[in-house]
Amino acid sequence: MNMLSRTASSLYWIGRHIERADFVARLIEAALQFELLPQARGGDDWGSAVSSSGAMDRFATSGQVINRTNVIAFLAFDQDNPGSIMSCMELARNDARAIRTAITRECFETLNEAHLAMKTHVRRGKTGDIQGFIDWIKTVTRGFEGAMHRTMLRNDSLWFLRLGSAIERADNTARLLDVKYHCLLPQGEEVGGTHDQAQWTALLRSVSAVTAYRWIYRDGLKPWLVADLMILRREMPRSLAACVDEAAAMLACLRADGGRTGAADRQIRKIQTSLAKLPIDDVIKSGLHEFLQEFLADNNQLGRAVSDQFLF
């Protein structure tokens, strides 16, 4: 593989930033849906959105109160928050401009056109049409992903893009599941009760998995089956198992192309082994929160190993 390390880094981080922008948009949408549920708790639901984004410490240092207005501004528009939608889209576009010849015209134009239209959509989002802003971001990210799969050569440029996306998507799924399981259910509410089921349905809707759940599981909505879908079912594109398999496949492609192997290859095999033939009952019994925290630590280590192996 003859690609420069800085080009590989930019491609990898474009994949991560686009995936993060899509995820944060879905987080905001889920919080908006939670607000509409019976017995919605307002600030707690918005606090869970910040927690899922992994930016609670940064938000806390701002001194702002957790409420709908502040959290949306922080997650969607705050340029001082590197994980906000605006920041992620700007970082992705800047990286794409820096390595313009490593991606196709269609991929670059998707990001550049979004950059040019961002101010208009941000203005609309800030003046009340936040759902319109979210829908636009989801359209942009889907457009980039479509351009990537339909126009990029099957070479190291595509593999670094997809590797970044897979690692970021795994992180996002784990955080979303952990916060739902650990934070959202009100004290005194029955697990599996009406309110709990409504929240799980809203969560499935936020990751476009309602239909997938119905296809795979014939009985009614059960929280442990939602966990099974989002952790172990490889048919589900956002499941941890599917994301890990995608990352492993991309590392295998890069290894076959360049002959380079290292810590990232060893780490992905470790994660795959931890998920192999693991029944969801064992995950629940041993503690879903503990399992997800261990996965997040392993996935973060994978990200560091990728940087070390490819000299980012």
Side-chain angles (χ1 to χ4, degrees), residues 5-264:
S5 293
R6 64 174 177 270
T7 301
S9 176
S10 292
L11 290 161
Y12 171 81
W13 281 106
I14 288 171
R16 294 204 68 157
H17 288 137
I18 292 295
E19 188 65 36
R20 172 57 66 97
D22 179 78
F23 171 68
V24 174
R26 291 172 182 274
L27 272 184
I28 295 171
E29 187 172 45
L32 291 169
Q33 291 170 354
F34 288 151
E35 260 194 337
L36 301 176
L37 296 177
Q39 303 176 33
R41 296 174 296 158
D44 289 348
D45 292 331
W46 288 105
S48 74
V50 180
S51 296
S52 294
S53 75
M56 181 57 83
D57 290 343
R58 182 179 293 274
F59 184 87
T61 60
S62 72
Q64 298 181 80
V65 175
I66 292 178
N67 58 35
R68 185 182 195 272
T69 301
N70 290 342
V71 171
I72 287 176
F74 177 74
L75 292 179
F77 311 123
D78 190 345
Q79 292 179 296
D80 292 329
N81 171 18
S84 73
I85 294 171
M86 274 192 70
S87 293
C88 287
M89 295 302 297
E90 184 69 16
L91 289 167
R93 188 259 187 175
N94 289 344
D95 276 332
R97 187 172 58 179
I99 47 102
R100 177 67 186 82
T101 58
I103 58 175
T104 60
R105 182 185 65 188
E106 290 82 359
C107 287
F108 178 76
E109 286 181 351
T110 299
L111 296 181
N112 198 50
E113 288 170 6
H115 170 76
L116 295 174
M118 180 66 75
K119 287 184 179 180
T120 298
H121 288 278
V122 166
R123 185 165 57 250
R124 291 174 180 171
K126 287 182 175 180
T127 55
D129 188 16
I130 186 61
Q131 187 61 56
F133 176 76
I134 290 169
D135 290 341
W136 175 70
I137 287 294
K138 289 163 66 177
T139 298
V140 170
T141 56
R142 284 196 300 265
F144 178 82
E145 187 170 359
M148 178 179 72
H149 284 285
R150 293 172 68 92
T151 68
M152 292 284 291
L153 291 174
R154 269 46 183 171
N155 60 14
D156 45 5
S157 292
L158 177 64
W159 298 331
F160 275 115
L161 279 169
R162 290 176 61 183
L163 177 61
S165 295
I167 292 175
E168 183 66 32
R169 189 178 299 128
D171 183 88
N172 296 340
T173 296
R175 289 184 187 280
L176 186 63
L177 251 185
D178 191 36
V179 170
K180 166 62 190 88
Y181 188 82
H182 207 60
C183 301
L184 286 185
L185 187 65
Q187 292 184 355
E189 276 285 334
E190 176 189 359
V191 175
T194 303
H195 187 69
D196 189 42
Q197 294 226 349
Q199 288 186 329
W200 282 107
T201 301
L203 183 144
L204 283 174
R205 189 175 295 113
S206 74
V207 294
S208 304
V210 173
T211 301
Y213 182 92
R214 291 171 179 165
W215 279 343
I216 294 175
Y217 307 104
R218 297 302 181 185
D219 46 2
L221 184 69
K222 293 180 172 58
W224 57 90
L225 294 182
V226 177
D228 181 62
L229 178 71
M230 297 182 70
I231 294 174
L232 301 174
R233 298 303 293 247
R234 286 172 166 80
E235 309 95 310
M236 173 62 185
R238 291 181 180 273
S239 74
L240 302 188
C243 293
V244 169
D245 285 351
E246 170 84 355
M250 295 304 99
L251 284 169
C253 289
L254 291 165
R255 183 169 63 248
D257 183 57
R260 178 178 293 177
T261 186

